[in-house]
Amino acid sequence: MTATTAPTAPPHRVAIIGAGPTGCYTAQALRKMMPTAEITVLDASPLPYGLLRNGIAPDHQGMKSVSRQYDRVFTAGGVRFVGGVRLGEHLMPQDLAAFDGVVLATGLERDRMPAVPIDPAARVIGAGRILRLLNGDPRLAGDPLGALGEDLVVTGTGNVAVDLLRLVAKTDAELAGSDIVDDARDRLALGAVRSVTVLGRGARSAARWDEAMMTELCALSSVHVTIDGEVVAGDPSARVRIDIRFDQPLAAVEAEGGSTVVRTTTGSTFRGDALITALGFVSAVDDLIEETERVLPVVVRAGGSSTGALGNLAQNRIAAKDAAARIVALLASDDRLPRDLPSPAAALARGWTCFEDWQSLDRIERERAGAHRCRRKLTSESEIRSALATSGAVLPQLDVRTA
């Protein structure tokens, strides 16, 4: 009698949608839990690291240095980066059937707007949009946003609001060593801002900013900061006057005589050239997430797409480990025989970049850094592709069945 050998299932293929901190931490955790898995991390941006590159303030380079840890995720083998592939445009949910499991780490990239009546003529700008412009997010290339104005109103008392205040107030010398995009800084005319009124919805004790970040802001020479009328930092002659008011929930945002007028439930009125919202973020791809969950059998949400909050890097890591453990458990319960999964090569080949491209671009950005900057970023897809062509990079066709 001839012995028969049971068929061996091939390595699991896992797609992670989103190459930000949560996506990278998920790939790292999955690699440890499933050493033989073939992991592909896809992102709408042609460059990796999402929030780390495009959302964290450009003067906080210490936080951004964690990218070196993410680099090792992609250089150690078994994990590949595919950039410039947007779910719903270049890749549809059903195309992900080429993978055994999918982790949705799409993050939250849209600024949350106030849930109050807003006059369409009022100038309302998301703080996240401003930070992404100052960080050179290539997906915002061509964004028409211009000078913010001299007098601003900000709603929100979290770290994003403090980031914005600090970047408005810092001098050229104080931005030394950052990777702020100077063209965007000039276009937004941050140096022309003279006053910022910050409105908190709740009491002072409910402020969500880190005290260390507020201390950093108050230490700047160019600010005069008051909280509910109490002077906490600076001289009245400082370039930027920051007036923080608590217990001022918004009631309406109107346009009047060229100004944006903010009315609160206390009956107070605040005028400025623009209202900047720093109220957190929401998903821009909810419909696609739900469609992916509907058409595929093994799908797990991770990070912001699951919790509705961005979280800090430590929280991202915890969320990623949880998502990795869930996807491993789901795949372990799949007693499948070997099968020839379809390849999404045709869908992915349009406009994608790989990790080797990012390594070339990282070097190019650092080499072209001007005085007092750690890098000069490539801020559009055309710039990125031109730089890659100059570097001699060749973009091969993608097949997920090749390592």
Side-chain angles (χ1 to χ4, degrees), residues 44-386:
S45 172
L47 306 177
Y49 306 151
L51 176 70
L52 194 72
R53 179 178 169 90
N54 300 319
I56 289 177
D59 61 332
H60 277 186
Q61 289 298 307
M63 294 179 66
K64 294 195 175 196
S65 65
V66 75
S67 65
R68 289 192 283 273
Q69 181 183 150
Y70 302 158
D71 286 346
R72 293 192 289 272
V73 171
F74 295 103
T75 57
V79 181
R80 127 175 54 208
F81 169 69
V82 180
V85 181
R86 181 178 292 277
L87 186 64
E89 182 179 346
H90 308 120
L91 189 71
M92 302 309 294
Q94 57 268 28
D95 294 323
L96 294 170
F99 298 91
D100 298 292
V102 175
V103 178
L104 297 169
T106 48
L108 307 171
E109 65 176 44
R110 182 177 295 165
D111 285 280
R112 186 187 303 277
M113 290 292 110
V116 300
I118 299 177
D119 186 331
R123 195 163 182 241
V124 181
I125 306 166
R129 177 186 177 190
I130 295 171
L131 287 173
R132 288 169 64 195
L133 284 169
L134 294 173
N135 271 306
D137 187 340
R139 290 171 295 175
L140 266 64
D143 187 302
L145 184 61
L148 299 181
E150 292 189 3
D151 303 301
L152 306 176
V153 180
V154 174
T155 178
T157 54
N159 286 339
V160 171
V162 179
D163 280 340
L164 177 68
L165 296 174
R166 191 180 64 254
L167 292 172
V168 162
K170 275 193 169 182
T171 63
D172 287 339
E174 289 167 329
L175 287 168
S178 75
D179 62 0
I180 194 167
V181 175
D182 290 299
D183 288 346
R185 182 170 174 246
D186 293 341
R187 182 156 53 87
L188 297 176
L190 298 191
V193 176
R194 293 294 175 261
S195 73
V196 185
T197 302
V198 181
L199 304 178
R201 292 172 289 180
R204 182 171 178 174
S205 60
R208 298 180 64 85
W209 61 52
D210 292 340
E211 286 301 326
M213 292 186 64
M214 179 54 69
T215 300
E216 181 185 1
L217 172 67
C218 291
L220 298 178
S221 61
S222 55
V223 300
H224 177 253
V225 182
T226 61
I227 299 180
D228 288 333
E230 175 191 356
V231 177
V232 297
D235 185 275
S237 63
R239 178 176 67 83
V240 183
R241 301 181 307 279
I242 300 173
D243 180 17
I244 302 172
R245 310 280 189 94
F246 288 100
D247 293 311
Q248 295 289 344
L250 269 58
V253 182
E254 303 169 356
E256 185 179 290
S259 295
T260 293
V261 180
V262 180
R263 305 191 190 280
T264 69
T265 59
T266 65
S268 300
T269 299
F270 303 90
R271 296 174 180 271
D273 296 304
L275 169 66
I276 298 175
T277 65
L279 301 174
F281 303 90
V282 297
S283 173
V285 291
D286 276 341
D287 290 347
L288 286 167
I289 289 174
E290 292 171 4
E291 175 69 6
T292 303
E293 291 173 326
R294 188 183 68 80
V295 302
L296 299 177
V298 180
V299 180
V300 167
R301 298 191 192 197
S305 63
S306 175
T307 64
L310 282 180
N312 57 36
L313 293 178
Q315 291 167 329
N316 294 156
R317 181 192 286 271
I318 293 170
K321 287 184 177 179
D322 175 69
R326 283 185 286 139
I327 203 82
V328 168
L330 288 170
L331 292 176
S333 65
D334 177 18
D335 298 326
R336 60 191 175 87
L337 293 175
R339 57 192 177 95
D340 185 21
L341 295 177
S343 169
L348 295 178
R350 181 183 173 190
W352 68 276
T353 48
C354 62
F355 189 74
E356 288 74 16
D357 296 330
W358 161 241
Q359 291 177 306
S360 296
L361 295 168
D362 181 40
R363 174 179 50 76
I364 290 168
E365 287 185 340
R366 293 180 184 280
E367 288 176 350
R368 69 188 212 138
H372 313 303
R373 296 288 179 264
C374 62
R375 69 171 68 230
R376 184 156 66 92
K377 286 184 169 179
L378 300 158
T379 60
S380 69
E381 183 173 330
S382 60
E383 261 195 314
I384 290 168
R385 298 205 174 279
S386 176

